[in-house]
Amino acid sequence: MEERARVPPGLPRPCPTVSYWQDPPADIADLRTTAELPAKADYVVVGSGISGAFIAYKILCKQPKASVVVLEARQAASGATGRNGGHTKAASYRSFVDHEKELGLDEAMRISRLEYANIVATHDFARKHGIRCDSNSCDTVDIIYSQTHLDAGKEAIRRMREAMGEDDPAAQYRVFNAAEARKIFRTPSALGAFQYAAGSLSAYAFAIGVLKLALGKGLNLQTNTPAESITFTDKSGRTIWSVQTPRGCIETPNLVLATNGYTAHLVPQMQGLIVPLHGQVVAQRPGLGMPQTGLPDTYSFIHETGYEYMITRPPLTLDEGTIIIGGGLWQLPNSGASRYGETDDTSLEPTITKYLRDCTSGFFGSHWGPDHASGRIRKEWSGIMGASADGLPYVGAMPDMPGLWISAAFNGHGMVWCLKVAEALVEMMVGDEGEQRAVDEWFPRSARMSGERMGRRFMGRKDLRAPGEGGFGERGRP
Ligand SMILES: Cc1cc2nc3c(=O)[nH]c(=O)nc-3n(C[C@H](O)[C@H](O)[C@H](O)COP(=O)(O)OP(=O)(O)OC[C@H]3O[C@@H](n4cnc5c(N)ncnc54)[C@H](O)[C@@H]3O)c2cc1C
């Protein structure tokens, strides 16, 4: 794993696979607000995923007169955001016990509450601003195939309820035994299940919608403009950052990195702290025995050493009932170690492709029925996540680099972090004393960037542990 963590990410690759969500691409996919790259701006944000989009929007809400430029290496929102599974699902119980042990109860509760609040805020934002992203707030279910995960999950849920109170919406779970899970959720091999609040949407359409709102407030979006390198100089006692691109250089006193898995390309000190992770997703037509307009819940399928995540397109949306499923990393040797450090989203990994194509009929057994006459597969694609050394995103000021800010490494769970993180980051950047203090009240301290966190090193992805399991990655090794 240490070896994989040392592979330089490079820049986002040209001609990536096209996700289900990006077909057709948005009308602003290749937008350059101005033909020339501006020579300077008050704020430059690198990356136009959900993080970069929401940070730019939030800055413009607070400082309507500020000049804000977003640089994007490829098309708008064509990183992880444009190619993810569309799941707004926290599964906070899976990390709560470890967070309590490693970071303390207050942090564990802050993280769980942030994740829940982020889900609610995302769907509320889409509704309020009329963003057409098929936002669907619904329940999700974890179908458990491992006794270890079942027992650990029940204990984690008990502990969350005890610590946070029965009424805390972030601690609300329903537990099902094997017979119930098999019947209610159509999963004949389940050992049990946990059900709780979550949702689904097109993260691509959502981020494009946020970018459009920011454009309406004066954002200058520059797509197909990679930031190749960054340097700084001191001008009249102020640090000014220069961002070099193939179209010239842009200067700013406030540079924000919303570059997820690619961050170490611009800041080599982040090598081994943010490690890219190649993930895969497939869109499938449901078998003819399955509900053709979608399932009421979204799903995860939890095995001893890994998991899959699945949504169905909600009723009355385009391709209603279509299954979007990702995961399968655990099918590879060493829990998929070869996928870490990999930024090639122009290709698919064949073992995972085969597994993801076949697994759905396995999960639903005789409920699946014959495949659809048009075939099971609609689309397959890959994308690059950013995994962090301690399992939490890096948010805030880069130590000893005045004017450089970061919001990156969402460990495959950005849809339950990015909005609240963007909100917190912008308060940290431009908020007055009172606003900064308010952020301290709710934002997890352990997710703030710090010199201490920069000293850690990547050992593997933390969310593959069973809740409460001490070390991680060990059981996954064949
Ligand atoms: C296959 C897959 C499935 C996923 N499924 C889910 C899911 O179901 N639910 C969930 O919560 N999360 C999921 N995730 C994770 C989620 O998509 C991310 O956590 C989230 O999108 C992160 O958003 P971001 O804006 O921080 O990063 P990104 O969306 O990755 O955006 C970073 C952007 O920066 C750009 N960039 C990078 N370097 C440069 C540079 N030097 N110059 C210019 N531009 C640059 C990239 O091109 C990219 O557009 C999934 C991710 C993947 C890859």
Side-chain angles (χ1 to χ4, degrees), residues 388-413:
S388 68
D390 54 17
L392 291 166
Y394 299 105
V395 184
M398 287 293 291
D400 305 322
M401 301 181 207
L404 186 62
W405 301 85
I406 186 167
S407 171
F410 292 96
N411 297 287
H413 301 289

Side-chain angles (χ1 to χ4, degrees), residues 292-316:
Q292 297 298 294
T293 56
L295 292 158
D297 298 69
T298 68
Y299 282 60
S300 292
F301 304 94
I302 314 279
H303 321 277
E304 187 72 9
T305 57
Y307 59 85
E308 280 74 55
Y309 45 94
M310 185 191 101
I311 65 162
T312 53
R313 302 274 292 133
L316 304 177

Side-chain angles (χ1 to χ4, degrees), residues 2-277:
E2 281 176 44
E3 199 181 299
R4 297 303 305 167
R6 280 197 292 271
V7 181
L11 287 167
R13 304 222 186 169
C15 308
T17 52
V18 176
S19 78
Y20 171 83
W21 313 109
Q22 296 169 299
D23 183 12
D27 51 353
I28 62 162
D30 294 296
L31 181 72
R32 287 174 176 172
T33 307
T34 52
E36 301 295 323
L37 185 71
K40 53 175 84 164
D42 297 326
Y43 298 88
V44 172
V45 180
V46 188
S48 68
I50 188 168
S51 296
F54 214 71
I55 290 164
Y57 171 77
K58 279 284 176 188
I59 293 172
L60 285 161
C61 287
K62 278 192 89 83
Q63 296 190 348
K65 295 200 174 112
S67 54
V68 181
V69 174
V70 168
L71 302 177
E72 169 53 53
R74 306 190 296 202
Q75 291 190 322
S78 60
T81 302
R83 44 190 66 250
N84 70 21
H87 221 165
T88 49
K89 166 167 184 162
S92 306
Y93 76 96
R94 289 178 54 76
S95 53
F96 185 86
V97 178
D98 295 309
H99 286 155
E100 183 180 5
K101 201 160 38 179
E102 293 163 10
L103 310 168
L105 179 59
D106 181 55
E107 281 294 286
M109 292 196 298
R110 280 181 184 229
I111 292 168
S112 303
R113 287 182 179 138
L114 178 151
E115 292 177 329
Y116 180 80
N118 195 92
I119 295 174
V120 174
T122 303
H123 291 284
D124 279 356
F125 190 90
R127 254 189 305 274
K128 181 172 170 204
H129 295 277
I131 299 178
R132 295 174 65 179
C133 57
D134 300 331
S135 157
N136 180 32
S137 300
C138 60
D139 278 341
T140 189
V141 62
D142 289 355
I143 304 295
I144 313 289
Y145 297 105
S146 144
Q147 195 61 47
T148 317
H149 282 273
L150 188 61
D151 295 343
K154 284 182 187 165
E155 174 52 22
I157 289 168
R158 186 203 63 73
R159 177 63 192 139
M160 278 184 88
R161 283 183 181 148
E162 176 185 71
M164 298 171 71
E166 299 278 337
D167 296 336
D168 192 316
Q172 304 275 317
Y173 294 88
R174 286 169 294 282
V175 178
F176 296 87
N177 64 29
E180 292 166 333
R182 291 172 187 195
K183 185 158 181 257
I184 300 169
F185 304 112
R186 302 176 167 87
T187 45
S189 311
L191 295 184
F194 306 125
Q195 190 188 40
Y196 47 101
S200 69
L201 45 62
S202 162
Y204 178 63
F206 182 79
I208 292 289
V210 176
L211 284 171
K212 285 185 176 176
L213 291 173
L215 287 165
K217 291 179 178 292
L219 170 68
N220 185 322
L221 173 62
Q222 295 288 330
T223 63
N224 303 301
T225 305
E228 294 173 315
S229 61
I230 58 173
T231 51
F232 66 90
T233 46
D234 277 329
K235 283 191 184 164
S236 324
R238 202 167 180 211
T239 304
I240 299 294
W241 289 89
S242 301
V243 184
Q244 191 64 49
T245 83
R247 301 172 54 223
C249 182
I250 178 166
E251 288 191 340
T252 182
N254 300 295
L255 178 58
V256 183
L257 302 176
T259 39
N260 206 20
Y262 303 94
T263 306
H265 179 76
L266 293 176
V267 184
Q269 293 91 325
M270 296 307 291
Q271 185 75 48
L273 284 176
I274 300 181
V275 178
L277 173 58

